């Protein structure tokens, strides 16, 4: 289909968060080549407007919206530079993926591609379309937060950034990034010590909002469980790293340890026990969980006993995972915290989190807990990249139309959901008074990980649904 052709073109252009300029320029030039009014702003957002179909000029316009950045995650052994390399997509039957090499970027490249196909179509019946392609959604939503509401003439909006084709999203959580940073001290390791590198592999990872309740495990947290058992043996951390992006659940983590030679037998016993425990605990979601150990030649520098214990304590006491479940929407997480990254430098340790919550009060509670932990550690603490929640409106007219059209198209009921993930609709509500928005999209799985997959037949289903939706909206007079 034309949509997949556009998505493949998007895959050729690097577009990680804050690196969207090239794709933004491509969309700007493409819009102008169609003779459509096209605007590119200082945040590299692109707005492309298409006049209503003939005879539909009196219908109120509709905003179609998707973001053009993607999360850049890759398999550890795959060589890929997201700043210059194309996404290595492949198609197997109905499934499009990268074969486990990198994130596919269907989140949200497919949303952009669907909008492009609709803008180009000469057959679609529609009201005036005001399409907007935003930047930095996966990082701080600064693109959507900077949108000028005066660019739009309507208060109806369809966001195409969801991953279940039978659902319509009518709300999402707010959130913020957070960091704890503290000093660590190093010393020469005793000459008689032994050194081991331990890597935790095989976890699924995933989206820190939508998959936080999936039981996928957090590699940094689980590797710290091993460290807690090794501290009494006199183990010292030499290096520790895990996670690559705060909104992705860490799939892998690595620690390098210095230990007394006479602790080796006890070390292997604890390593084997912990490996067995993790394989049992995560058998239902991954059969590849493992703790891989490698002997190293002498590492001259190790953290002091106090600094090693400080890192272990910080990780053990960090809130991570579900904080509360919603008491208004069944099976929906209300608030959570993802311990997404750990970076250990020469004399600093930095721990990065993503806090998500439906209510500002519960977000503040988790933030306050992290702040208290930072105080206990003598660490600095900051939050950044905050984004607003999108409150559910059960009386939404767009929801009513969506449910009706879905029933007519597919002979079944459309499920209404509220997500534990940050969507840009909340940003647009602040810019456009009286906005009535919803979010839809094709079936996708394992977002924010190299296992990301997308159903091609589901893409076609969503195109059919949006086309019918636009035709219905074109009947409504201002």
């Amino acid at each position: 289909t034309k949509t997949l052709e556009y998505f493949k073109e998007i895959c050729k252009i690097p577009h990680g968060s804050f690196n969207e300029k090239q794709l933004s320029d491509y969309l700007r030039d493409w819009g102008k080549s169609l003779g459509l009014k096209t605007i590119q702003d200082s945040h590299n957002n692109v707005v492309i407007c298409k006049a209503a179909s003939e005879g539909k000029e009196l219908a109120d316009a509709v905003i179609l919206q998707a973001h053009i950045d993607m999360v850049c995650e890759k398999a550890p052994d795959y060589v890929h530079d997201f700043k210059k390399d194309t996404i290595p997509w492949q198609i197997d039957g109905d499934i499009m993926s990268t074969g486990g090499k990198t994130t596919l970027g269907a989140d949200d490249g497919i949303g952009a591609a669907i909008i492009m196909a609709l803008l180009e179509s000469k057959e679609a019946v529609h009201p005036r379309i005001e399409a907007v392609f935003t930047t930095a959604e996966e990082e701080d939503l600064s693109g959507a937060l900077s949108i000028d509401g005066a660019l739009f003439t309507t208060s109806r909006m369809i966001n195409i950034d969801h991953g279940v084709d039978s659902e319509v999203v009518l709300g999402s959580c707010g959130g913020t990034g957070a960091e704890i940073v503290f000093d660590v001290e190093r010393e020469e390791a005793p000459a008689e010590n032994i050194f081991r590198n331990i890597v935790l592999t095989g976890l699924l990872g995933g989206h820190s909002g939508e998959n936080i309740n999936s039981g996928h495990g957090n590699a940094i947290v689980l590797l710290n469980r091993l460290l807690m058992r090794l501290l009494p043996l006199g183990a010292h951390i030499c290096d520790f790293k895990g996670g690559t992006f705060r909104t992705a659940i860490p799939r892998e983590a690595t620690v390098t340890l210095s230990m007394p030679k006479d602790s080796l037998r006890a070390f292997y016993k604890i390593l084997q026990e912990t490996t067995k425990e993790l394989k049992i605990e995560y058998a239902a979601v991954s059969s590849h969980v493992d703790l891989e150990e490698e002997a190293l030649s002498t590492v001259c520098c190790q953290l002091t006993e106090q600094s090693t214990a400080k890192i272990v304590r910080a990780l053990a006491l960090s809130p991570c995972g579900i904080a509360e479940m919603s008491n208004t929407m069944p099976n929906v997480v209300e608030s959570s915290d993802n311990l997404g990254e750990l970076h250990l430098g020469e004399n600093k340790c930095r721990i990065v989190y993503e806090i998500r919550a439906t209510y500002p009060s519960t977000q503040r509670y988790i933030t306050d807990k992290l702040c208290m932990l930072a105080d206990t550690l003598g660490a600095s603490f900051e939050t950044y990249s905050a984004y607003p929640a999108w409150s559910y409106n059960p009386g939404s007219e767009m929801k009513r139309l969506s449910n009706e059209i879905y029933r007519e198209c597919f002979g079944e009921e459309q499920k209404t959901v509220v997500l534990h993930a940050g969507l840009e609709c909340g940003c647009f509500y602040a810019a456009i008074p009286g906005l009535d928005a919803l979010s839809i999209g094709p079936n996708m799985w394992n977002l924010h990980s190299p296992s990301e997959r997308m159903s091609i037949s589901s893409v076609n289903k969503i195109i059919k649904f949006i086309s019918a939706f636009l035709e219905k909206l074109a009947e409504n007079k201002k």
Side-chain angles (χ1 to χ4, degrees):
T1 67
K2 196 67 175 177
T3 297
L4 282 187
E5 289 180 26
Y6 279 128
F7 180 64
K8 291 172 185 177
E9 287 300 311
I10 290 171
C11 287
K12 294 178 183 178
I13 305 171
H15 56 284
S17 300
F18 301 138
N19 188 40
E20 309 99 333
K21 182 66 164 64
Q22 188 178 348
L23 181 53
S24 175
D25 290 348
Y26 167 79
L27 287 166
R28 178 201 61 200
D29 296 343
W30 175 84
K32 290 181 177 180
S33 74
L34 293 179
L36 302 177
K37 180 182 178 181
T38 303
I39 299 170
Q40 182 185 47
D41 69 16
S42 61
H43 285 259
N44 292 315
N45 299 308
V46 176
V47 177
I48 303 176
C49 298
K50 182 181 181 183
S53 300
E54 186 176 355
K56 306 299 180 182
E57 294 84 358
L58 294 180
D60 193 9
V62 63
I63 299 168
L64 299 182
Q65 187 265 325
H67 67 86
I68 61 173
D69 63 315
M70 65 175 285
V71 169
C72 299
E73 286 274 306
K74 69 178 188 67
D77 56 350
Y78 185 70
V79 178
H80 187 88
D81 186 344
F82 282 100
K83 292 188 176 180
K84 64 179 183 180
D85 295 338
T86 62
I87 299 298
W89 60 266
Q90 64 184 56
I91 295 176
D92 301 291
D94 183 50
I95 299 299
M96 191 170 191
S97 72
T98 65
K101 299 180 183 73
T102 73
T103 36
L104 178 63
D107 175 20
D108 189 27
I110 195 60
I114 289 171
I115 295 172
M116 292 175 73
L118 289 167
L119 287 171
E120 187 187 40
S121 173
K122 292 179 172 58
E123 292 76 33
V125 178
H126 55 80
R128 171 182 166 86
I129 294 174
E130 298 173 350
V132 54
F133 304 87
T134 50
T135 57
E137 190 271 351
E138 302 291 4
E139 184 58 56
D140 61 4
L141 283 86
S142 55
L145 286 168
S146 70
I147 282 292
D148 181 2
L151 293 172
F152 307 100
T153 65
T154 181
S155 59
R156 306 190 299 189
M157 175 172 156
I158 299 174
N159 163 282
I160 309 174
D161 189 19
H162 187 44
V164 183
D165 66 13
S166 60
E167 297 177 345
V168 57
V169 181
L170 267 297
S172 63
C173 68
T176 184
E179 285 189 6
I180 286 177
V181 181
F182 53 87
D183 295 334
V184 293
E185 295 180 350
R186 293 186 178 272
E187 63 186 9
E188 290 294 316
E192 64 274 16
N193 268 21
I194 57 171
F195 302 89
R196 293 294 184 271
N197 197 59
I198 307 163
V199 184
L200 194 154
T201 61
L203 295 174
L204 293 181
H207 190 290
S208 67
E210 295 178 3
N211 297 122
I212 202 73
N213 61 342
S214 300
H216 288 177
N218 182 307
I220 298 172
V221 173
L222 295 181
L223 191 53
N224 194 56
R225 277 174 48 176
L226 174 67
L227 295 180
M228 291 171 69
R229 298 187 65 187
L230 294 178
L231 282 186
L233 302 182
H236 289 245
I237 294 172
C238 300
D239 195 14
F240 197 171
K241 59 185 175 183
T244 58
F245 194 57
R246 71 176 194 277
T247 65
I249 301 170
R251 293 174 290 111
E252 299 183 347
T254 304
V255 66
T256 303
L257 297 178
S258 167
M259 296 175 291
K261 194 170 186 178
D262 59 9
S263 68
L264 191 58
R265 182 184 297 273
F267 163 75
Y268 278 119
K269 182 175 184 295
I270 291 171
L271 183 67
Q272 291 168 1
E273 290 174 352
T274 305
T275 302
K276 182 178 179 180
E277 290 168 358
L278 296 182
K279 286 182 177 294
I280 292 172
E281 292 175 27
Y282 292 93
V285 291
S286 176
S287 59
H288 305 294
V289 179
D290 200 8
L291 285 168
E292 301 171 358
E293 173 263 345
E294 176 189 10
L296 300 177
S297 58
T298 301
V299 178
C300 297
C301 199
Q302 64 183 24
L303 293 186
T304 63
E305 179 181 352
Q306 292 78 10
S307 291
T308 294
K310 195 173 190 178
I311 291 176
V312 173
R313 187 179 305 113
L315 296 176
L317 298 179
S318 288
C320 184
I322 298 169
E324 290 283 350
M325 296 297 292
S326 172
N327 52 28
T328 59
M329 298 291 288
N331 304 314
V332 173
V333 178
E334 186 281 319
S335 53
S336 70
D337 185 34
N338 180 54
L339 199 167
E341 303 171 52
L342 172 67
H343 304 279
L344 178 59
E346 183 63 27
N347 51 28
K348 296 281 185 183
C349 181
R350 183 166 67 98
I351 307 173
V352 186
Y353 310 82
E354 177 72 2
I355 304 168
R356 300 178 186 268
T358 303
Y359 307 112
S361 54
T362 53
Q363 178 178 315
R364 185 173 61 250
Y365 175 58
I366 297 172
T367 302
D368 288 347
K369 288 203 291 185
L370 284 172
C371 188
M372 291 178 71
L373 174 60
D375 287 343
T376 302
L377 296 168
S380 65
F381 175 72
E382 68 169 328
T383 59
Y384 52 89
S385 301
Y387 51 91
W390 167 25
S391 299
Y392 173 56
N393 174 18
S396 164
E397 175 64 11
M398 289 289 281
K399 170 189 178 295
R400 186 192 68 77
L401 286 172
S402 181
N403 293 164
E404 176 186 307
I405 295 162
Y406 189 89
R407 192 182 307 114
E408 292 173 356
C409 285
F410 309 114
E412 60 185 31
E413 296 300 315
Q414 186 181 47
K415 184 179 179 182
T416 299
V417 300
V418 172
L419 293 184
H420 188 62
L423 291 178
E424 293 162 294
C425 297
C427 305
F428 280 84
Y429 269 89
I432 303 173
L435 184 67
D436 190 357
L438 55 78
S439 180
I440 54 175
N443 288 337
M444 297 184 284
W445 303 271
N446 301 118
L447 304 182
H448 295 193
S449 81
S451 302
E452 182 183 356
R453 297 173 295 136
M454 177 180 71
S455 165
I456 296 172
S457 61
S458 182
V459 171
N460 294 330
K461 177 182 176 181
I462 287 297
I463 292 170
K464 176 181 178 180
F465 174 67
I466 295 176
S467 298
F469 207 145
L470 292 176
E471 189 167 355
K472 178 73 73 173
L473 291 176
E475 297 173 2
N476 296 341
K477 301 295 188 292
K478 293 182 182 179

